[in-house]
Amino acid sequence: MNIKVGLDPEAFLFKDKQYYPAIGLFGGTKEAPIPAGEGGGIQEDNVMVEFNTAPASTLPMFKYQISLMKSIIEERAKNMGFEIKYDPIATFSEDLLTHPQAREIGCSPDYNAWHGGRNESVNASDLKNIRTASGHIHIGFEWLNNHPYNKIYMVQALELMLGVPLSLIESDKSVTRRQYYGMSGSFRRKPYGIEWRTPDNTWITKDVYVEYVWNTIIRIAPKIKEYAQLANRYGPNIRIAINNHDKTSAEALMKTCSIQRIPIK
């Protein structure tokens, strides 16, 4: 099973105890990212800086790609006097959100694997002076394109086996994030597979988290339908655990479904 995994996380610029827009500082767009690293790219997304990695087929390469791209944007930010913050939300001064790019919210629609429909879109007036950042994961392998429902099964399996444990390391600020983006079940269909949009960007901050994400994806891939069936049995509990950061629900699910905790180092 030739599985490839990539990501396109977002981050914020920070200095003098406040967040600043990345507009005009990094360049690149979703349609035309600036090449960086080894097959990766950098772009501006609303007020955030975003990077994407080349798809990896091994854990060492996955970790290397993430470390490389983080070091690139962190060094560029440092040279401009900023710090990179991998926070799920940030509140900006209103005078820093006057640029038209700061009003451009979202791009193509995403969908929900629990009900199969399209997630409600968000605009700048909904967010006011809040902006959100995510840690989307892209997964590709042949089986996902063998049947239209396979991508749904994959996302449902991820929600239980990865989304629930990730909710225990994510900041409670992600509750606010998920009022706008990344609610349980969020994904996009891709020609190669899926873009899973539930996680925030916390998981890219430590190697132990990155390893857990990779190892979980590889472990569940051969038995996706089995894990999806299990996920559907506990669907409402999964949504409560992830969307509300309900630690009691998350802990109960992990015990019932024998899900290993993410190591905290």
Side-chain angles (χ1 to χ4, degrees):
M1 184 176 285
N2 183 22
I3 302 173
K4 293 187 177 181
V5 185
L7 62 153
D8 62 337
E10 300 141 345
F12 295 105
L13 295 184
F14 189 82
K15 74 173 180 179
D16 299 331
K17 298 182 180 181
Q18 67 173 327
Y19 296 97
Y20 284 84
I23 297 171
L25 299 179
F26 287 84
T29 64
K30 287 189 177 296
E31 295 75 23
I34 295 176
E38 298 179 16
I42 295 174
Q43 62 214 47
E44 297 172 7
D45 182 0
N46 191 268
V47 298
M48 290 82 71
V49 57
E50 176 179 328
F51 70 77
N52 54 71
T53 64
S57 55
T58 67
L59 174 57
M61 182 55 66
F62 190 54
K63 291 172 64 177
Y64 171 72
Q65 289 283 358
I66 294 171
S67 177
L68 176 63
M69 294 306 299
K70 283 173 58 181
S71 67
I72 290 173
I73 66 166
E74 288 167 7
E75 182 66 22
R76 292 188 185 181
K78 181 180 179 181
N79 291 339
M80 294 183 283
F82 294 101
E83 177 186 357
I84 288 287
K85 288 278 192 180
Y86 299 102
D87 293 332
I89 66 167
T91 302
F92 287 80
S93 298
E94 291 187 11
D95 62 306
L96 295 176
L97 298 176
T98 58
H99 192 283
Q101 185 173 311
R103 311 288 297 176
E104 297 173 3
I105 305 296
C107 41
S108 57
D110 64 3
Y111 296 83
N112 196 285
W114 295 117
H115 56 66
R118 179 172 168 174
N119 285 325
E120 186 176 348
S121 59
V122 176
N123 56 48
S125 61
D126 296 321
L127 289 170
K128 298 180 181 178
N129 61 340
I130 290 175
R131 295 297 182 267
T132 68
S134 306
H136 302 156
I137 302 173
H138 296 248
I139 303 170
F141 57 99
E142 185 177 357
W143 182 86
L144 291 174
N145 285 319
N146 288 347
H147 191 280
Y149 284 115
N150 287 356
K151 295 178 182 181
I152 296 286
Y153 296 146
M154 182 71 196
V155 176
Q156 292 172 342
L158 287 167
E159 292 295 321
L160 172 62
M161 302 304 295
L162 196 47
V164 170
L166 282 177
S167 74
L168 293 175
I169 65 161
E170 292 175 345
S171 163
D172 286 340
K173 291 180 180 180
S174 256
V175 176
T176 301
R177 170 183 167 261
R178 289 194 171 101
Q179 294 175 12
Y180 306 103
Y181 291 106
M183 69 177 63
S184 177
S186 297
F187 80 108
R188 285 191 184 127
R189 294 174 177 86
K190 295 291 185 176
Y192 48 79
I194 63 161
E195 175 190 3
W196 185 42
R197 295 172 59 80
T198 299
D200 74 16
N201 50 13
T202 303
W203 72 268
I204 72 167
T205 60
K206 294 184 179 182
D207 278 351
V208 68
Y209 300 162
V210 173
E211 291 167 4
Y212 186 97
V213 166
W214 175 272
N215 290 332
T216 300
I217 292 169
I218 299 304
R219 187 176 73 254
I220 70 174
K223 298 181 179 180
I224 291 172
K225 284 190 176 181
E226 293 179 28
Y227 287 114
Q229 288 174 352
L230 187 61
N232 275 283
R233 189 182 308 169
Y234 298 104
N237 307 73
I238 295 170
R239 293 190 285 277
I240 290 170
I242 294 175
N243 293 339
N244 301 341
H245 272 222
D246 189 309
K247 290 180 170 47
T248 301
S249 295
E251 295 280 6
L253 281 165
M254 292 177 68
K255 182 177 181 180
T256 301
C257 301
S258 300
I259 302 172
Q260 184 179 359
R261 294 183 66 91
I262 299 177
I264 305 297
K265 293 183 180 180

